[in-house]
């Protein structure tokens, strides 16, 4: 496979990362001037604990970054994960300890508020560390940039002077978008009070734009003349966003549907400041199980840690990948299928032609954390790998073993079905054994209820038991499945369809309305053990 073949296929692929990458190709037909890297940015507001919505933005942006590298044959890129930790804390999150500590520091910059967890120098530092730790776990290639560091160090000073020089034009953009009451106090610049340290939302007067000097009235009524430079002020959100685009030279940033209007206004401000709005994708938001927007401050939906307690790292990325412009429900119930779908697509990848590979989500995911300086190729490490047991089947096994089951028990049963059944030989499966135990304990076991079979179902189960009694312990899953089918087809048992027969087995043997291929389950669980399940059902 030549690099040219990848580039040519990428330029016509309909996979959404390539469609986004083509926006950048149009922006820079001959590459970014001076050979500079194309800059991708993802923003993060550390007012609450990181959640999956935060992670998905970095993942999706990375996928576009890798697609751009493929489509250009290796043009240089950078990804900045930007934390807006200079912002003032406006509300105490619902899901953090020491709420009073945060309440006492409301309206101060997040980076100047003590950490309620008592682990870091500030609340922002704690949340930034959580974000970086998670991104590092996934192996993302990124540069972390702190708003506070940029403001405090003076790195944004020239950009702040630009805001002061264009103060009137920015006001002309923003005032028509505000309610009448808000217009009276609005200013693109929010000075930081020299007495209380809070981020003030008060009218300001520009005294000397080049010197960075403004005049405003402090909270105690004192008229203050103060510089906006070196961390003594913070820009309003939409102005700050535009300033950042221009100061950093951002070429691509995606954002949620709730920021659509903000993106329009910030784009206009960026033009006033002499820059250009980045390319980007407006994505739909994640919803919780009730269909409500997931919020950092509310802590609804799934946390990053919760997903990883019940599913694999790869399954999270896989669930995030498709259709970014469509809303997704994010709750524990979606995890098992995401795990199995990921592995099905991964197995299929190795046998696909290149154009089909580029449409396979796993091709993108396997390349997400490859280094930018590796060169460009169509390689997707791990393509074709499989799991010896599906996650769904593993959950059925654990469900039968009960809420108190442990990993050692599960591995003993896996020995019926998997060659060399040890955690060391199957590390990916070992992770899923642990998550299946947790998922079963918290979500499956409390809902299982095995019912008694009806008369015709009992007759069919007795026939199945008789068939199993004549099978060797190492009978293949396919041979068992064939016998299960044949019993379900027999007119004497009165099943209108095979689906009714399988549902009867699930509800009487497993306690669930849905289940696995019974041949695979029986081979995994064991023929004698399955016969014991049938005996229990018949005695019910």
């Amino acid at each position: 496979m030549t690099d040219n073949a990848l580039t040519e296929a990428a330029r016509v692929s309909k996979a959404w990362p390539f469609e986004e990458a083509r926006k950048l190709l149009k922006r820079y037909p001959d590459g970014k001037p001076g050979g500079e890297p194309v800059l991708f940015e993802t923003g993060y507001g550390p007012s609450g604990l990181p959640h999956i919505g935060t992670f998905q933005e970095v993942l999706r942006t990375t996928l576009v970054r890798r697609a751009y590298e493929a489509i250009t044959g290796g043009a240089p890129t950078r990804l900045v994960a930007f934390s807006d930790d200079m912002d003032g804390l406006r509300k105490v999150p619902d899901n953090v300890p020491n709420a009073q500590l945060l309440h006492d520091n409301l309206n101060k910059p997040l980076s100047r508020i003590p950490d309620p967890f008592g682990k870091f120098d500030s609340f922002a530092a704690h949340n930034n560390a959580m974000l970086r730790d998670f991104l590092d776990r996934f192996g993302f290639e990124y540069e972390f940039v702190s708003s506070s560091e940029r403001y405090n160090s003076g790195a944004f000073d020239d950009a702040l002077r630009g805001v002061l020089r264009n103060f009137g034009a920015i006001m002309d953009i923003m005032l028509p978008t505000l309610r009448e009451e808000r217009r009276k106090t609005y200013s693109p610049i929010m000075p930081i009070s020299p007495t209380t340290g809070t981020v003030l939302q008060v009218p300001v007067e520009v005294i000397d734009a080049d010197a960075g000097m403004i005049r405003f009235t402090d909270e105690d009524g004192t008229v203050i003349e103060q510089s906006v430079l070196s961390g003594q002020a913070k820009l309003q959100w939409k102005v700050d966003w535009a300033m950042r685009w221009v100061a950093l030279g951002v070429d691509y940033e995606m954002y949620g549907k709730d920021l659509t209007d903000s993106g329009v206004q910030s784009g206009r401000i960026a033009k006033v400041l002499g820059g250009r709005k980045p390319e980007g994708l407006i994505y739909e938001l994640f919803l919780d199980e009730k269909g409500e927007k997931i919020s950092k401050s509310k802590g609804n939906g799934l946390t990053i840690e919760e997903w990883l307690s019940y599913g694999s790292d790869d399954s999270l990325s896989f669930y995030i990948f498709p259709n970014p412009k469509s809303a997704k429900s994010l709750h524990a119930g979606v995890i098992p299928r995401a795990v199995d779908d990921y592995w099905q697509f991964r197995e299929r990848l190795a046998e696909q032609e290149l154009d089909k590979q580029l449409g396979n989500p796993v091709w993108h995911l396997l390349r997400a954390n490859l280094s930018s300086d590796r060169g460009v190729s169509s390689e997707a490490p791990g393509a074709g790998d499989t799991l010896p047991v599906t996650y769904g089947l593993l959950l059925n096994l654990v469900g039968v073993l009960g809420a108190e089951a442990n990993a050692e028990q599960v591995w003993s049963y896996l020995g019926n079905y998997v060659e060399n059944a040890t955690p060391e030989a199957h590390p990916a499966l070992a992770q899923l054994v642990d998550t299946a135990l947790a998922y079963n304990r918290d979500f499956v076991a409390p809902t299982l209820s095995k019912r008694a079979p009806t008369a015709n179902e009992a007759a069919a189960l007795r026939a199945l038991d008789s068939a199993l009694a004549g099978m060797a312990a190492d009978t293949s899953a396919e041979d068992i499945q064939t016998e299960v089918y044949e019993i379900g087809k027999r007119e004497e048992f009165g099943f209108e369809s095979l689906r009714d027969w399988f549902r009867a087995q699930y509800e009487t043997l497993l306690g669930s309305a849905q289940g696995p291929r019974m041949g695979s389950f029986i081979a995994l669980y064991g023929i004698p053990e399955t016969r014991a399940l049938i005996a229990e059902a018949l005695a019910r």
Side-chain angles (χ1 to χ4, degrees):
M1 186 68 63
T2 65
D3 294 348
N4 288 340
L6 172 60
T7 299
E8 291 172 6
R11 293 198 174 200
V12 296
S13 174
K14 294 182 180 180
W16 72 261
F18 289 117
E19 292 180 341
E20 289 300 298
R22 284 193 284 272
K23 295 178 182 177
L24 287 164
L25 200 62
K26 186 175 181 180
R27 184 182 182 97
Y28 296 123
D30 301 316
K32 196 169 182 178
E36 288 293 312
V38 167
L39 182 62
F40 295 79
E41 180 182 60
T42 180
Y44 168 64
S47 58
L49 303 181
H51 59 78
I52 292 176
T54 308
F55 167 71
Q56 64 85 18
E57 198 167 298
V58 181
L59 173 66
R60 285 173 170 162
T61 304
T62 295
L63 299 178
V64 178
R65 179 189 185 187
R66 298 301 180 224
Y68 176 74
E69 292 167 352
I71 214 169
T72 58
T77 63
R78 294 170 56 210
L79 171 61
V80 165
F82 190 94
S83 172
D84 190 15
D85 56 4
M86 190 69 174
D87 199 17
L89 179 66
R90 306 299 179 193
K91 179 184 176 183
V92 177
D94 298 332
N95 56 346
V96 297
N98 297 322
Q100 188 59 47
L101 174 65
L102 295 182
H103 185 271
D104 293 342
N105 285 276
L106 280 175
N107 298 314
K108 292 181 181 179
L110 291 159
S111 56
R112 301 178 188 180
I113 295 174
D115 177 18
F117 297 88
K119 298 179 180 179
F120 293 86
D121 293 337
S122 70
F123 185 34
H126 173 271
N127 292 340
N128 288 342
M130 291 190 66
L131 174 72
R132 294 197 303 272
D133 287 347
F134 187 70
L135 299 182
D136 291 343
R137 173 177 180 174
F138 276 79
F140 287 122
E141 184 183 41
Y142 69 98
E143 303 165 38
F144 180 79
V145 177
S146 158
S147 177
S148 289
E149 187 279 326
R150 291 299 171 117
Y151 272 99
N152 295 336
S153 69
F156 279 161
D157 283 356
D158 285 343
L160 291 171
R161 292 186 183 98
V163 170
L164 294 184
R165 294 187 190 109
N166 294 281
F167 194 90
I170 293 172
M171 291 287 280
D172 289 343
I173 292 170
M174 290 305 304
L175 290 182
T177 70
L178 304 173
R179 296 187 301 271
E180 183 175 353
E181 187 65 26
R182 183 71 181 93
R183 294 178 192 175
K184 297 176 183 178
T185 60
Y186 181 83
S187 166
I189 295 279
M190 296 186 292
I192 295 178
S193 169
T195 55
T196 66
T198 60
V199 181
L200 302 176
Q201 300 200 53
V202 295
V204 306
E205 176 186 354
V206 178
I207 299 175
D208 187 334
D210 291 336
M213 294 299 296
I214 60 171
R215 181 183 293 119
F216 62 93
T217 301
D218 203 355
E219 291 174 297
D220 61 2
T222 304
V223 176
I224 303 289
E225 291 186 4
Q226 180 174 297
S227 172
V228 303
L229 308 179
S230 301
Q232 297 182 78
K234 168 75 166 66
L235 295 179
Q236 290 277 3
W237 148 240
K238 296 172 186 176
V239 185
D240 189 273
W241 203 13
M243 178 275 292
R244 184 196 315 164
W245 287 342
V246 176
L248 299 180
V250 177
D251 298 304
Y252 187 93
E253 180 165 4
M254 62 175 64
Y255 47 88
K257 183 179 179 181
D258 56 337
L259 296 181
T260 300
D261 291 340
S262 297
V264 171
Q265 292 145 21
S266 295
R268 295 178 62 194
I269 295 170
K271 187 174 181 180
V272 165
L273 295 176
R276 184 179 179 188
K277 181 182 179 182
E279 307 299 330
L281 167 74
I282 299 175
Y283 58 80
E284 273 286 357
L285 305 175
F286 284 123
L287 306 175
D288 66 13
E289 200 164 8
K290 298 178 182 178
E292 297 178 355
K293 175 189 169 184
I294 289 177
S295 164
K296 292 190 298 290
S297 59
K298 289 182 180 179
N300 60 333
L302 283 180
T303 67
I304 291 166
E305 292 77 13
E306 285 171 335
W307 184 291
L308 297 181
S309 295
Y310 304 125
S312 64
D313 302 2
D314 299 320
S315 65
L316 171 58
S317 300
F318 184 86
Y319 186 74
I320 286 170
F321 181 90
N323 305 320
K325 294 183 180 180
S326 298
K328 290 182 174 65
S329 296
L330 194 62
H331 54 84
V334 306
I335 295 177
R337 180 172 178 179
V339 174
D340 280 336
D341 284 352
Y342 168 80
W343 282 101
Q344 288 176 15
F345 275 79
R346 183 163 170 172
E347 180 180 7
R348 195 179 307 159
L349 182 61
E351 301 175 354
Q352 293 178 319
E353 297 295 328
L354 180 59
D355 61 332
K356 299 297 184 183
Q357 288 185 349
L358 301 192
N360 185 325
V362 177
W363 185 88
H364 297 266
L365 298 176
L366 290 175
R367 296 162 51 86
N369 61 358
L370 297 179
S371 174
S372 291
D373 59 9
R374 74 196 184 284
V376 173
S377 75
S378 60
E379 178 190 6
D385 288 353
T386 63
L387 279 179
V389 175
T390 68
Y391 195 51
L393 186 56
L394 194 59
L395 283 172
N396 286 123
L397 170 63
V398 174
V400 171
L401 296 180
E404 304 304 319
N406 58 47
E408 185 178 354
Q409 289 175 292
V410 176
W411 281 105
S412 70
Y413 280 94
L414 287 171
N416 296 329
Y417 196 79
V418 178
E419 185 176 351
N420 194 15
T422 65
E424 294 75 21
H426 301 280
L429 181 59
Q431 180 191 13
L432 292 179
V433 167
D434 292 337
T435 59
L437 287 166
Y439 192 90
N440 178 69
R441 180 192 65 236
D442 295 342
F443 300 108
V444 179
T447 67
L448 293 180
S449 178
K450 299 177 183 178
R451 66 171 175 82
T454 62
N456 70 303
E457 291 170 346
L461 287 173
R462 281 190 287 270
L464 177 58
D465 180 68
S466 178
L468 293 176
M471 293 183 183
D474 60 352
T475 302
S476 71
E478 287 303 317
D479 287 344
I480 298 173
Q481 184 72 11
T482 298
E483 188 61 39
V484 172
Y485 269 120
E486 292 305 316
I487 291 171
K489 293 176 183 178
R490 286 161 58 175
E491 292 184 5
E492 63 199 86
F493 300 132
F495 294 112
E496 292 187 8
S497 68
L498 283 172
R499 179 178 299 177
D500 293 335
W501 165 224
F502 288 123
R503 184 183 299 114
Q505 294 173 81
Y506 301 151
E507 293 178 353
T508 61
L509 303 182
L510 305 181
S512 175
Q514 297 179 328
R517 284 174 58 89
M518 287 304 296
S520 297
F521 174 78
I522 294 169
L524 173 61
Y525 190 53
I527 289 176
E529 290 80 1
T530 303
R531 293 189 65 199
L533 284 181
I534 294 173
E536 291 174 8
L538 293 174
R540 203 168 289 131

